Amino acid sequence: EAGVVQSPRYKIIEKKQPVAFWCNPISGHNTLYWYLQNLGQGPELLIRYENEEAVDDSQLPKDRFSAERLKGVDSTLKIQPAELGDSAVYLCASSSTRPDEQFFGPGTRLTVL
Amino acid sequence: QKEVEQDPGPLSVPEGAIVSLNCTYSNSAFQYFMWYRQYSRKGPELLMYTYSSGNKEDGRFTAQVDKSSKYISLFIRDSQPSDSATYLCAMCPNFNKFYFGSGTKLNVKP
């Protein structure tokens, strides 16, 4: 069974440019998470979806970040415009109803110059 | 104060040693406790999951939870070079929001 798929794996952009990340969760997983992981830190939740509904976006900086999960499957996370401080790894995870079934993708490493 | 505190290391041990990794937390509502392993440039992968207090063993790995002290541990027996990675603890009060430690970097020397 395929795991969580993310693309691109790496992205380098200049500040003020837009960027988008894509995630395809494990088939059948209704819950999808986007996390931010800074170097030497643990993942921090940006947004959580239950099917197509964003049920927790309290930590998402809504002035520049947006996300969508159309049809309750794939999801896209967008930053516009990007700032230097956005350089980090963006992780997508999906889960079923059990906390021991949260699986992470490999992440997208963003560098903002 | 962070919800979850974890010593960042790095921790360097010889092959075959017993490794002890620990986290402390402040939120008494946490009920589910997890340990993840993260290799360089990879996403975290779940190693162990424990509900409430007690011990859980899986091969060379043992997870312990002491809710009275708000302290969790992961023990690795007979450590191998392939165990070299960053270990993240995580916990949550329910299935909705996970709180992660900052990770401990482990290096097992051959």
Side-chain angles (χ1 to χ4, degrees):
Chain A
E1 179 182 333
V4 176
V5 179
Q6 289 188 248
S7 70
R9 290 295 315 277
Y10 304 91
K11 189 73 176 180
I12 301 174
I13 61 171
E14 294 188 347
K15 62 181 181 182
K16 301 185 181 179
Q17 294 299 306
V19 65
F21 314 125
W22 175 79
C23 173
N24 179 241
I26 291 174
S27 177
H29 280 189
N30 296 329
T31 307
L32 184 146
Y33 311 79
W34 281 104
Y35 289 93
L36 168 71
Q37 187 174 26
N38 286 305
L39 186 65
Q41 299 296 315
E44 299 174 25
L45 181 69
L46 288 171
I47 189 168
R48 177 172 66 93
Y49 282 93
E50 293 290 345
N51 298 304
E52 65 273 9
E53 182 182 358
V55 295
D56 184 355
D57 63 356
S58 58
Q59 301 303 311
L60 189 72
K62 298 181 184 65
D63 57 335
R64 297 184 301 108
F65 286 66
S66 64
E68 60 182 10
R69 190 183 185 196
L70 299 176
K71 300 181 180 179
V73 181
D74 294 0
S75 178
T76 302
L77 178 69
K78 298 178 181 179
I79 309 175
Q80 183 171 12
E83 296 179 352
L84 295 176
D86 296 332
S87 296
V89 175
Y90 291 82
L91 293 163
C92 178
S94 69
S95 71
S96 61
T97 57
R98 293 169 43 173
D100 60 337
E101 293 186 351
Q102 179 180 204
F103 294 93
F104 283 83
T108 296
R109 183 175 297 269
L110 174 67
T111 301
V112 182
L113 302 176
Chain B
Q1 183 185 6
K2 289 185 177 180
E3 299 260 13
V4 180
E5 297 282 355
Q6 184 174 9
D7 188 331
L11 183 61
S12 187
V13 302
E15 183 176 355
I18 296 175
V19 176
S20 173
L21 304 166
N22 311 293
C23 288
T24 59
Y25 63 95
S26 56
N27 190 339
S28 58
F30 289 148
Q31 295 283 352
Y32 301 91
F33 304 90
M34 289 137 287
W35 286 96
Y36 287 81
R37 177 175 62 196
Q38 186 173 25
Y39 291 113
S40 181
R41 299 186 182 274
K42 302 286 187 181
E45 59 176 322
L46 183 67
L47 279 176
M48 302 282 288
Y49 153 62
T50 308
Y51 171 71
S52 193
S53 285
N55 295 355
K56 187 173 184 178
E57 188 173 321
D58 184 1
R60 298 184 295 111
F61 299 89
T62 299
Q64 287 185 353
V65 175
D66 181 349
K67 291 190 70 179
S68 62
S69 301
K70 297 188 176 66
Y71 188 88
I72 69 170
S73 300
L74 178 70
F75 297 95
I76 307 174
R77 291 182 298 280
D78 188 24
S79 56
Q80 302 296 308
S82 59
D83 295 328
S84 297
T86 295
Y87 290 79
L88 297 156
C89 63
M91 46 200 80
C92 57
N94 46 43
F95 297 170
N96 292 339
K97 188 165 184 176
F98 294 78
Y99 295 82
F100 285 83
S102 58
T104 298
K105 189 169 185 179
L106 172 66
N107 181 34
V108 181
K109 298 174 291 184

